[in-house]
Amino acid sequence: MITLAEKLIMVSKTPVKPEVRRAVEFVSSTPMMITPQYTNSGVTLQYSLDGTSWTTITSGETTPNANIIYFRGSATGTKSLYASNATTNSWTFSGATNLECNGKLDRLIQNTLGGDSDILAISNYCFAYIFNNVTSLIRVDDDFLPATALTNSCYQGMFQSCTGLTTAPALPATTLASSC
């Protein structure tokens, strides 16, 4: 099956950049803007519109409009975007339709920006509510959540009210944590 991103790249004749595997790729059939949220002080996030040029973005700041937006990040100290399990952790995808997420979500909490390691042990509240109420979300990669050691509330409410998402990604962890 050809993904929406592959279709958009074929139409635009833009080659796939090798750096993209080191990021999370958000693809919409219409131009969108993304407003990420994070509350842990050791987090650095960057976005790219081409998979090559990266711009640091702060929590609550909004990206430019595009059909494909890449994100990568690092988290020092704790492997979590968030310090609590609040619905205000939700990212906003303004204008997105048929939103797909490609890659592995842990590319947002790497040891270094652009890292490509599977983070198998994540911290409390790591991705709690990140996609809460993102009704345009229709697909995530099957290996989107590679962690095998889960902690309290690490995935709590992650896909809550994502009414367009009909298949959940695989969960390689065999033991769940409280509210996860």
Side-chain angles (χ1 to χ4, degrees), residues 49-64:
L49 303 181
D50 62 8
T52 302
S53 302
W54 294 92
T55 302
T56 300
I57 189 168
T58 59
S59 182
E61 189 178 353
T62 302
T63 67

Side-chain angles (χ1 to χ4, degrees), residues 7-177:
K7 289 178 188 174
L8 289 170
I9 288 169
M10 285 188 289
V11 169
S12 71
K13 308 271 191 279
T14 303
V16 177
K17 307 285 191 265
E19 295 84 0
V20 172
R21 67 182 168 80
R22 298 175 179 270
V24 180
E25 177 187 60
F26 296 102
V27 183
S28 172
S29 57
T30 55
M32 66 178 162
M33 295 182 293
I34 301 175
T35 306
Q37 301 291 338
Y38 57 91
T39 56
N40 267 338
S41 60
V43 172
T44 300
L45 287 183
Q46 293 183 326
Y47 73 88
S48 175
L49 303 181
D50 62 8
T52 302
S53 302
W54 294 92
T55 302
T56 300
I57 189 168
T58 59
S59 182
E61 189 178 353
T62 302
T63 67
N65 231 13
N67 288 77
I68 302 173
I69 303 173
Y70 306 95
F71 270 85
R72 68 182 186 181
S74 65
T76 58
T78 183
K79 291 298 169 209
S80 177
L81 291 179
Y82 307 114
S84 69
N85 57 344
T87 57
T88 53
N89 292 348
S90 303
W91 288 28
T92 304
F93 296 82
S94 302
T97 55
N98 300 315
L99 181 64
E100 297 181 2
C101 298
N102 302 309
K104 296 180 180 182
L105 196 57
D106 68 352
R107 294 329 184 239
L108 302 178
I109 57 167
Q110 292 290 301
N111 293 321
T112 59
L113 285 168
D116 192 26
S117 300
D118 285 350
I119 305 295
L120 301 179
I122 57 179
S123 299
N124 292 346
Y125 320 117
C126 187
F127 298 117
Y129 295 99
I130 189 171
F131 299 113
N132 178 51
N133 205 33
V134 179
T135 57
S136 59
L137 181 61
I138 61 167
R139 191 189 70 74
V140 297
D141 276 350
D142 192 48
D143 61 349
F144 195 58
L145 306 172
T148 56
L150 306 182
T151 56
N152 291 335
S153 302
C154 60
Y155 294 148
Q156 183 177 4
M158 175 185 268
F159 297 117
Q160 183 172 301
S161 301
C162 292
T163 55
L165 185 63
T166 57
T167 304
L171 190 60
T174 56
T175 304
L176 295 179

